[in-house]
Amino acid sequence: MRIAVVHSFYSNKSPSGENIVVAAQVAALAAAGFEVRLIGVRTDELAQSPLYPILTAKNVISGGGASPLKELSDFRPDIVHVHNLFPNYSTQWLTQWNGPIVATLHNFRPVCASGILFRGSDTCTLCPDLGSHHAVLNGCYRGSRIASIPLAIRNRNGVNGDKLLARADKLILLSERSKRMYSDAGLSLEKVRIIPNFVDGDEFMPDSRPGKDWIYLGRLTKEKGIEALIQHWPDDKTLRVFGDGPLISIAADQAKPNIIFEGRVSRGEIPAILADSQGLVFPSLCAEGAVPLTYVEALAAGRPVVAFSGNGAADDIDQSGSGETFSQWPDLAVALNKVESRHQVYTNRAYDHYRETFTNERWVGGISSLYSDVLDRR
């Protein structure tokens, strides 16, 4: 089976889990025997043009931009799998391509200018509920009202006006929470299937002896909950913070002596960091469009996770028992102590859940079934 994967790569100036997921899926498809071709454009290359911001804004409004049609015609895939078209790919080619199209929705961009349905310190659904002009009023895209205008225009008809959602034969969502939120925004679930992302477990060390410290892995931004985590971290435990972001200075100024900032790390360092930890803390305040990759990596390493309620990781923990969740910040210490008191039990649950749900083989089986269903319907 020939699969063409279409993806507009986000800039490397900010780490993108989506870029990582796409590359991993392409490699997994190839290893499973699919004939796969990645067709992509890269923001880092296009942004070298001084006119890039103006042209991109125009394309987002009009649906213009680069087209993969020539490469698709040359490759002649059985299925086109779209991950991301924003902001560099056109949507006009979608009606010109006659073959089956599958799309993965990694975020909430079709109904939210920022893509995360989060504003201030809480979930925000103003745009899908009351109109996309709220993105402009609140400067939701990159903190700019002007930069938010193209997305507000594009999203003015919500999910019903999104050309990719309308054209795709099947839509892949990455978590039950994402499914609920898209349904609330008006998306018909007839074409939807949930296939969570995977992590290749070969590089992780679930049998290694755990360390004593808890870790945070991720961007230091408001929606990730880093400020609240630092403010409420208990005095009797050590937290090692791995990552960078706009809140690094504020977070460091507020931190207690038992909170250590380690800076940004490469993906190759993550297995060893997890192996040397007692577990992962996931304090995200936003819903997360997927079961988060960092959370899945912790499971692959056999490390329990403590998560703030209301995000994809916490939802999965509540179902699997792979850690503990808390809904009020004063309860963070309670959750940490509970995991520490029965650490081996939580460790076993975490790794067992990874093997049952988030392996390469599980993902390949799920996506193969979906591809076959799409071709059978055609």
Side-chain angles (χ1 to χ4, degrees):
M1 189 184 299
R2 290 185 176 187
I3 308 298
V5 175
V6 177
H7 182 59
S8 176
F9 283 84
Y10 297 103
S11 173
N12 288 326
K13 293 179 181 178
S14 178
S16 168
E18 194 170 320
N19 288 350
I20 293 167
V21 164
V22 170
Q25 291 188 8
V26 169
L29 288 171
F34 290 87
E35 188 176 351
V36 58
R37 179 176 295 184
L38 175 60
I39 300 173
V41 290
R42 297 181 181 272
T43 295
D44 287 335
E45 297 174 0
L46 298 175
Q48 295 179 15
S49 167
L51 297 177
Y52 176 74
I54 298 174
L55 293 175
T56 300
K58 177 183 176 183
N59 288 334
V60 168
I61 293 172
S62 66
S67 171
L69 279 178
K70 184 180 184 307
E71 290 174 275
L72 291 176
S73 297
D74 291 342
F75 183 52
R76 293 178 297 162
D78 297 299
I79 290 177
V80 176
H81 189 155
V82 176
H83 284 270
N84 174 48
L85 299 179
F86 175 83
N88 301 311
Y89 265 127
S90 163
T91 56
Q92 297 170 0
W93 66 273
L94 293 167
T95 56
Q96 300 172 40
W97 181 255
N98 294 322
I101 294 178
V102 168
T104 297
L105 305 184
H106 293 267
N107 53 46
F108 301 105
R109 189 82 66 188
V111 295
C112 174
S114 69
I116 58 175
L117 288 175
F118 181 91
R119 183 173 60 86
S121 59
D122 204 354
T123 298
C124 175
T125 58
L126 277 175
C127 286
D129 291 346
L130 301 174
S132 63
H133 62 283
H134 286 91
V136 179
L137 296 177
N138 294 292
C140 292
Y141 184 65
R142 296 186 174 178
S144 167
R145 290 183 174 181
I146 293 176
S148 300
I149 291 173
L151 282 156
I153 294 173
R154 191 197 71 167
N155 291 351
R156 63 190 180 277
N157 294 318
V159 292
N160 295 322
D162 189 280
K163 294 182 179 179
L164 178 59
L165 301 188
R167 170 63 179 83
D169 295 78
K170 282 288 185 181
L171 297 171
I172 298 171
L173 294 179
L174 303 173
S175 69
E176 287 289 345
R177 180 169 289 269
S178 179
K179 179 181 176 181
R180 292 196 301 271
M181 296 183 79
Y182 264 111
S183 178
D184 290 345
L187 179 67
S188 169
L189 300 181
E190 182 181 358
K191 298 191 294 185
V192 167
R193 189 172 301 182
I194 296 177
I195 304 178
N197 292 326
F198 70 89
V199 165
D200 188 343
D202 290 345
E203 55 191 325
F204 292 89
M205 297 165 274
D207 295 327
S208 62
R209 185 175 181 178
K212 296 182 178 180
D213 301 337
W214 289 88
I215 64 169
Y216 169 91
L217 272 168
R219 291 263 296 157
L220 305 186
T221 56
K222 182 76 173 180
E223 71 273 10
K224 294 299 184 181
I226 186 64
E227 283 184 292
L229 178 63
I230 287 172
Q231 291 168 9
H232 294 90
W233 188 254
D235 294 332
D236 62 340
K237 305 180 194 302
T238 300
L239 175 68
R240 298 168 67 199
V241 177
F242 295 89
D244 199 355
L247 295 185
I248 178 64
S249 297
I250 295 175
D253 289 342
Q254 296 176 347
K256 306 171 185 178
N258 59 328
I259 300 177
I260 304 166
F261 287 84
E262 305 282 5
R264 183 183 295 187
V265 294
S266 68
R267 289 201 61 75
E269 297 174 88
I270 291 177
I273 290 170
L274 283 165
D276 193 37
S277 75
Q278 182 157 193
L280 175 75
V281 185
F282 196 87
S284 182
L285 304 177
C286 67
E288 306 281 345
V291 177
L293 205 60
T294 303
Y295 166 71
V296 179
E297 289 171 332
L299 301 186
R303 296 296 177 260
V305 181
V306 170
F308 186 71
S309 295
N311 58 58
D315 292 343
D316 193 73
I317 290 170
D318 286 338
Q319 291 185 353
S320 67
S322 57
E324 286 292 328
T325 64
F326 61 99
S327 56
Q328 302 292 329
W329 284 101
D331 295 332
L332 168 61
V334 176
L336 294 169
N337 288 333
K338 191 172 183 179
V339 171
E340 289 179 1
S341 67
R342 302 175 64 206
H343 195 270
Q344 189 59 51
V345 172
Y346 287 100
T347 292
N348 294 341
R349 289 177 183 171
Y351 189 58
D352 287 347
H353 183 46
Y354 163 73
R355 290 189 301 173
E356 293 169 0
T357 312
F358 299 112
T359 63
N360 180 319
E361 293 77 14
R362 290 284 185 182
W363 181 84
V364 169
I367 202 68
S368 298
S369 175
L370 182 140
Y371 288 161
S372 296
D373 289 349
V374 169
L375 291 178
D376 289 344
R377 286 176 179 269
R378 282 274 177 156

